[in-house]
């Protein structure tokens, strides 16, 4: 009996592995048709999405998102007043922490050891935590040099197809003109950051996004309750005082009904005022009740339906999948998938610090490499730009953005409106794990690292070499005639960015492509293979 069980287990494992390989390698014959048809059917058959997961799950990833590939968001707010002194962006948490705990409130050490921010607070802001609380830091935030037109134009030049601001950080500060909270950028700083950007972004025919981080606010101000967070009258910023388990595997007590209603009202207000095309959610959704999540997502989908708008909803997996994967877009924080995923996904990563912290910007080469890697695996890249507290964008970040735009101006056809090929790529440089926080910070790839994308009609294949070839040629081993991946005949080969003739040879060793030394490109290099029509076998 035991032998039979082991044999059955082995066959099951082999079947699952083989099935996964086939799923990743098989091209989609009918591009996005099922997704589009399903969405249209949902619109025709019911007037609204119900507050039930089976109804919400009818929604699918918008095609505009799968076409866009590259977006930008900005982290700016009161936290920037602290991070510009190289503090953590979780300053509103760390400044009150007298013990020294992780983000889940589990102690970092066996004896109390507060963060450095707790000790530096008086030096940075002129008083201790009782004299100058986070509420007082908020009042000091005045981005007087913020220029929405200037930002939007820069991000447009960078090649972004969707863009927007951090709408509300964990600190409960709203970057828009709010009617439901006094802690907002219009009342406190005299500027509607979200509203001004929404107009400037849409003027340039870009999709608009807002990021939401307030699901975790219930926990974020916990340590403030021993200071001004516990003073009556401050609950509308810090929340009602409550406990927080110090067990690393517990978040008890969970948000109460009043908190969840305010979370929903903030989301609803932003939808009604700005109707973003992409709602990006940070961690914490899975800590809210199932009912409030269903209420929120059904509302957002119905609001979009009324506007004839096809929206995207992102989610992260920290502990559990909090919405139906078919209805949302999986997001990796400072990370990405190690292989091609069947569903579209997203990677969010910063140019420097999440909020401006003087850290030098990453190079255009590093971001271009990451973009190519992400797109080849059916993903999109969301890049964080961190303006200074006065609203200006650091010069080194501006230079990187312009460098990305320069590359996309030349090579964009290998990125925008493409779909993944049967495999994502090849080469010696790989990521160590799948998921959050697995990415490289600077450029790491070689001319042996290759990524693939294809046109929607499947008649053009792009072979993207992630570093400048050094031998006058490149060879894709995975395209060898003995492998099952490349089965089409080549009609024409070119290298984007040059008119020089590209010689090619396809055999059992792979596809060899010549590389002209005169090519003007700086980073990744994109070969374009026009393919002859597929010859379908007669039945």
């Amino acid at each position: 009996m035991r032998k039979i069980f082991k044999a059955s287990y082995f066959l099951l494992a082999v079947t699952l592995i083989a099935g996964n390989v086939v799923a990743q390698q098989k091209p989609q014959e009918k591009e996005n048709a099922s997704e589009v048809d399903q969405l249209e059917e949902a619109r025709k058959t019911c007037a609204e999405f119900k507050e039930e997961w089976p109804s919400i799950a009818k929604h699918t990833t918008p095609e505009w998102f799968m076409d866009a590939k590259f977006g930008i968001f900005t982290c700016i707010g009161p936290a920037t007043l602290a991070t510009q002194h190289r503090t953590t962006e979780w300053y509103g948490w760390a400044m009150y922490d007298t013990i020294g705990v992780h983000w889940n409130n589990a102690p970092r050490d066996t004896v109390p050891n507060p963060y450095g921010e707790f000790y530096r607070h008086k030096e940075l802001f002129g008083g201790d935590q009782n004299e100058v609380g986070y509420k007082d830091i908020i009042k000091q935030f005045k981005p007087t040099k913020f220029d929405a037109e200037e930002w939007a134009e820069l991000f447009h030049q960078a090649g972004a197809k969707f863009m927007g601001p951090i709408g509300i950080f964990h600190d409960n500060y709203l970057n828009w003109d709010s009617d439901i909270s006094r802690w907002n950028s219009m009342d406190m700083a005299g500027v509607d950051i979200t509203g001004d950007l929404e107009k400037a972004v849409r003027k340039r025919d870009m999709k608009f996004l807002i990021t939401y981080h307030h699901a975790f606010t219930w926990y974020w101000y916990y340590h403030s309750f021993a200071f001004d967070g516990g003073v009556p009258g401050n609950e509308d910023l810090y929340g009602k005082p409550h406990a927080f388990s110090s067990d690393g595997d517990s978040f008890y007590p969970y948000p109460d009904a009043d908190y969840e209603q305010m979370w929903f009202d903030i989301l609803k207000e932003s939808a009604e005022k700005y109707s973003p095309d992409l709602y990006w959610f940070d961690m914490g959704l899975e800590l809210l009740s199932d009912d409030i999540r269903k209420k929120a997502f059904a509302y957002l989908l119905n609001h979009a339906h009324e506007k004839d708008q096809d929206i995207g909803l992102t989610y992260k997996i920290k502990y559990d999948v909090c919405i139906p994967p078919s209805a949302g877009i999986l997001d990796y924080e400072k990370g990405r998938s190690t292989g091609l995923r069947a569903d579209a996904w997203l990677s969010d990563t910063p140019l420097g610090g999440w909020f401006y912290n003087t850290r030098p910007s990453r190079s255009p080469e590093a971001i271009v490499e990451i973009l190519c890697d992400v797109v080849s695996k059916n993903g999109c890249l969301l890049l964080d730009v961190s303006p200074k507290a006065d609203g200006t964008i650091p010069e080194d970040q501006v230079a990187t953005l312009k460098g990305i735009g320069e590359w996309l101006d030349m090579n964009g056809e290998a990125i925008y409106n493409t779909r993944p090929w049967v495999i994502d790529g090849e080469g010696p440089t790989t990521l160590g794990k799948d998921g959050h926080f697995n990415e490289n910070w600077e450029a790491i790839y070689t001319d042996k690292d290759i990524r693939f994308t294809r046109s929607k009609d499947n008649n053009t294949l792009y072979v993207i070499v992630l570093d400048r070839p050094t031998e006058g040629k490149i060879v894709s081993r995975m395209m060898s005639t003995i492998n099952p991946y490349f089965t089409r005949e080549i009609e024409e080969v070119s290298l984007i960015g040059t008119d020089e003739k590209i010689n090619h040879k396809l055999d059992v060793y792979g596809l060899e492509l010549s590389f002209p030394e005169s090519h003007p490109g700086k980073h990744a290099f994109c070969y374009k293979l026009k393919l002859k029509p597929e010859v379908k076998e007669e039945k």
Side-chain angles (χ1 to χ4, degrees):
M1 189 69 168
R2 188 173 296 172
K3 291 182 179 178
I4 293 174
F5 176 78
K6 288 183 176 179
S8 300
Y9 184 83
F10 174 77
L11 288 172
L12 177 61
V14 169
T15 301
L16 289 173
I17 293 170
N20 185 54
V21 171
V22 171
Q24 289 190 1
Q25 293 177 353
K26 186 178 179 181
Q28 297 176 356
E29 295 178 359
K30 191 177 180 184
E31 191 62 53
N32 299 316
S34 63
E35 289 89 343
V36 175
D37 292 347
Q38 196 175 64
L39 181 59
E40 288 302 316
E41 189 63 25
R43 287 173 170 166
K44 291 175 183 176
T45 57
C46 61
E48 62 180 20
F49 288 88
K50 301 177 181 67
E51 293 179 15
E52 302 174 29
W53 291 130
S55 179
I56 294 168
K58 290 180 180 179
H59 178 66
T60 55
T61 302
E63 187 157 358
W64 71 256
F65 177 82
M66 293 186 284
D67 289 346
K69 306 304 182 189
F70 179 45
I72 290 173
F73 78 110
T74 56
C75 282
I76 186 172
T80 315
L81 295 173
T83 60
Q84 65 186 354
H85 300 292
R86 301 185 182 183
T87 71
T88 173
E89 61 265 17
W90 276 39
Y91 190 80
W93 164 291
M95 64 177 275
Y96 294 114
D97 180 6
T98 61
I99 301 171
V101 297
H102 295 292
W103 66 276
N104 59 3
N105 208 39
R108 292 187 301 164
D109 298 312
T110 55
V111 296
N113 183 22
Y115 283 92
E117 283 80 355
F118 178 81
Y119 295 114
R120 293 182 66 195
H121 181 71
K122 188 170 185 177
E123 168 199 341
L124 295 179
F125 293 102
D128 64 26
Q129 284 80 344
N130 285 309
E131 297 168 325
V132 183
Y134 198 84
K135 69 182 187 307
D136 304 298
I137 295 175
I138 286 177
K139 297 169 185 176
Q140 298 176 33
F141 175 60
K142 306 289 181 183
T144 55
K145 295 182 180 180
F146 164 70
D147 187 328
E149 287 290 331
E150 186 177 290
W151 283 20
E153 182 58 28
L154 174 62
F155 302 150
H156 181 68
Q157 290 176 11
K161 298 299 183 183
F162 54 104
M163 182 269 152
I166 187 170
I168 177 170
F169 186 48
H170 304 309
D171 62 6
N172 226 7
Y173 180 84
L174 282 67
N175 266 328
W176 66 76
D177 182 9
S178 176
D179 301 317
I180 61 175
S181 172
R182 60 180 168 141
W183 305 102
N184 70 79
S185 64
M186 178 58 79
D187 289 343
M188 295 287 173
V191 59
D192 182 356
I193 293 175
T194 301
D196 290 351
L197 276 175
E198 188 263 342
K199 295 182 182 71
V201 167
R202 295 201 191 280
K203 184 190 298 185
R204 290 162 176 81
D205 200 28
M206 299 160 68
K207 297 293 185 179
F208 185 65
L209 72 93
I210 299 178
T211 73
Y212 303 88
H213 309 248
H214 62 307
F216 197 75
T217 303
W218 171 264
Y219 302 97
W220 204 71
Y221 278 129
Y222 166 71
H223 297 280
S224 76
F225 300 151
F227 299 92
D228 62 321
V231 175
N234 292 336
E235 296 91 346
D236 60 342
L237 177 66
Y238 300 108
K240 292 184 295 186
H242 59 80
F244 187 1
S245 173
S246 60
D247 295 335
D249 60 352
S250 174
F251 282 85
Y252 184 84
Y254 289 87
D256 64 17
D258 290 340
Y259 176 85
E260 290 195 334
Q261 185 60 47
M262 188 60 180
W263 174 84
F264 174 81
D265 290 343
I266 288 170
L267 193 60
K268 183 172 183 280
E269 181 182 60
S270 69
E272 291 176 347
K273 284 179 175 284
Y274 310 111
S275 296
D277 302 290
L278 184 69
Y279 293 82
W280 184 96
F281 294 99
D282 200 0
M283 67 176 202
L285 281 182
E286 57 270 73
L287 301 174
L288 301 176
S289 69
D290 200 45
D291 285 344
I292 199 67
R293 290 200 304 268
K294 288 186 289 188
K295 178 180 179 179
F297 294 129
Y299 167 77
L300 294 177
L301 292 171
N302 289 325
H303 176 78
H305 177 75
E306 292 173 1
K307 297 278 187 179
D308 196 27
Q309 195 178 10
D310 201 1
I311 62 171
L313 304 165
T314 77
Y315 68 99
K316 291 183 178 181
I317 299 177
K318 289 284 186 174
Y319 319 103
D320 197 5
V321 179
C322 56
I323 65 172
S326 63
I329 300 165
L330 177 63
D331 175 65
Y332 293 112
E333 181 178 343
K334 281 189 176 179
R336 52 194 191 270
S337 176
T338 55
L340 194 160
R341 293 185 60 90
D343 297 320
W345 55 279
L346 183 65
S347 173
D348 69 279
T349 194
L351 268 183
W354 288 115
F355 287 82
Y356 175 70
N357 64 1
T358 76
R359 185 175 188 175
S361 173
R362 296 154 92 170
S363 67
E365 182 179 8
I367 302 303
V368 165
E369 285 184 356
I370 292 172
L371 176 63
C372 293
D373 184 57
V374 166
V375 170
S376 74
K377 297 170 180 174
N378 205 22
C380 296
L381 179 64
L382 181 59
L383 185 65
D384 167 54
V385 173
S386 48
K388 295 180 179 180
D390 64 2
T392 59
I393 298 174
E395 291 183 5
D396 58 345
Q397 293 187 34
V398 170
T400 293
L401 290 169
K402 289 183 176 179
I404 297 167
E406 181 183 328
W407 186 87
L408 283 167
D409 281 345
M410 177 186 290
N411 299 285
E413 70 170 278
I415 299 296
Y416 304 126
N417 304 308
T418 62
R419 295 294 182 266
W421 191 43
V422 293
I423 56 174
D424 59 282
E426 62 179 278
T429 311
T430 58
L431 300 173
K433 63 175 184 176
D434 195 275
H436 303 296
F437 308 109
N438 71 347
E439 68 178 11
N440 52 293
W441 187 255
E442 262 304 327
I444 59 172
Y445 292 97
T446 72
D447 61 349
K448 302 297 187 294
D449 291 298
I450 295 171
R451 296 295 180 267
F452 303 106
T453 62
R454 64 173 175 87
S455 61
K456 286 186 184 181
D457 63 11
N458 209 29
N459 289 326
T460 303
L461 177 64
Y462 297 97
V463 180
I464 306 173
V465 185
L466 296 183
D467 199 9
R468 190 177 189 91
T470 57
E471 300 172 356
K473 65 179 182 180
I474 66 104
V475 179
S476 170
R477 304 295 181 190
M478 299 304 289
M479 295 180 70
S480 161
T481 54
I482 64 174
N483 283 331
Y485 310 124
F486 187 57
T487 58
R488 302 274 295 274
E489 290 187 43
I490 298 173
E491 181 175 298
E492 181 183 341
V493 176
S494 60
L495 178 59
I496 297 174
T498 181
D499 294 327
E500 291 201 32
K501 176 179 172 58
I502 303 301
N503 299 315
H504 70 280
K505 180 175 67 173
L506 178 64
D507 55 26
V508 295
Y509 299 105
L511 176 65
E512 181 178 300
L513 300 167
S514 64
F515 179 79
E517 292 299 325
S518 59
H519 192 286
K522 298 177 181 178
H523 312 305
F525 300 83
C526 304
Y527 289 91
K528 179 178 180 179
L529 277 57
K530 286 188 176 180
L531 307 178
K532 292 182 180 180
E534 288 186 89
V535 178
K536 295 186 178 180
E537 297 181 5
E538 295 184 6
K539 295 184 179 179

